[in-house]
């Protein structure tokens, strides 16, 4: 199963929006502290709306604690970074991947990027724009991985004339 990991997130509404995306896709969300807010923050809860009961939330107080959980479960660490090696749409995702996203202000630390099995970037046309919003990046990455793995198949189909 795919997992989304936010490493040191700072802005409650971004984390709440990522939680909402994870709830909608039945994807585990791992938060790695220290966080820039309290889990009980009203802005976090507001952004997640009434979907919190559907979020498979795992909070790890430190990177070391999170690393121990990862070692028990296995899989690959895929780091999303503006300095990533591969475009996220060309990278072949696997079902047991952990999609790692860094804080809104710093991104993933170099120490984390070095431990990743691969790093990917989201291409942007405008060179003056450094990065996308954290919640947008997480949604793009998660949905591309789900698309590649066939998780987006729906009972709804397009009519023949479309």
């Amino acid at each position: 199963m795919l997992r989304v990991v936010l490493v040191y997130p700072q802005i409650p509404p971004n984390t709440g929006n990522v939680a909402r995306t994870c709830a909608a896709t039945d994807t585990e969300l791992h938060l790695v502290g220290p966080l820039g807010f309290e889990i009980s923050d009203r802005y976090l809860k507001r952004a997640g709306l009434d979907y919190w009961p559907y979020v498979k939330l795992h909070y790890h107080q430190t990177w070391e604690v999170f690393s121990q959980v990862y070692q028990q479960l296995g899989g690959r660490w895929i780091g999303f970074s503006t300095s990533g090696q591969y475009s996220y749409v060309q990278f072949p995702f696997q079902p047991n991947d952990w999609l790692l996203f860094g804080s809104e202000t710093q991104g993933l630390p170099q120490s984390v990027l070095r431990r990743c099995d691969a790093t990917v970037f989201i291409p942007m046309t405008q060179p003056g724009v450094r990065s996308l919003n954290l919640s947008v990046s997480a949604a793009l990455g998660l949905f591309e991985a789900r698309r590649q793995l066939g998780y987006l198949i729906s009972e709804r189909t397009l009519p023949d004339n479309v």
Side-chain angles (χ1 to χ4, degrees):
M1 100 175 55
L2 293 168
R3 296 171 177 94
V4 170
V5 182
L6 302 184
V7 180
Y8 316 140
Q10 299 297 304
I11 302 173
N14 286 337
T15 300
N17 288 332
V18 173
R20 191 171 169 183
T21 299
C22 288
T25 58
D26 199 26
T27 302
E28 286 184 9
L29 173 60
H30 293 257
L31 302 180
V32 180
L35 308 178
F37 51 86
E38 296 292 324
I39 292 287
S40 61
D41 190 292
R42 69 182 177 108
Y43 296 107
L44 174 72
K45 297 213 180 280
R46 182 175 178 195
L49 296 175
D50 56 345
Y51 299 122
W52 285 105
Y54 304 104
V55 179
K56 296 177 180 176
L57 181 63
H58 303 271
Y59 173 60
H60 312 280
Q61 290 186 338
T62 66
W63 176 258
E64 292 73 26
V65 170
F66 168 70
S67 295
Q68 291 173 1
V69 170
Y70 163 76
Q71 288 174 354
Q72 292 172 355
L73 298 174
R76 299 186 308 172
W77 279 348
I78 311 303
F80 281 72
S81 171
T82 57
S83 63
Q85 191 173 14
Y86 307 101
S87 169
Y88 83 114
V89 294
Q90 296 173 331
F91 183 79
F93 291 97
Q94 296 177 4
N96 61 347
D97 285 344
W98 300 70
L99 311 180
L100 279 67
F101 300 87
S103 76
E104 296 87 345
T105 56
Q106 303 294 315
L108 286 171
Q110 286 299 316
S111 60
V112 172
L113 288 170
R114 284 192 295 273
R115 294 188 60 194
C116 288
D117 296 287
T119 58
V120 298
F121 66 93
I122 299 170
M124 292 180 284
T125 305
Q126 177 55 259
V129 176
R130 291 184 308 277
S131 63
L132 296 173
N133 178 279
L134 174 61
S135 61
V136 171
S137 297
L140 285 170
L142 177 59
F143 273 86
E144 174 58 20
R146 290 174 53 81
R147 184 194 67 78
Q148 287 184 22
L149 297 170
Y151 296 166
L152 298 181
I153 296 174
S154 172
E155 306 234 350
R156 298 181 211 163
T157 58
L158 291 173
D160 292 333
N161 63 349
V162 175

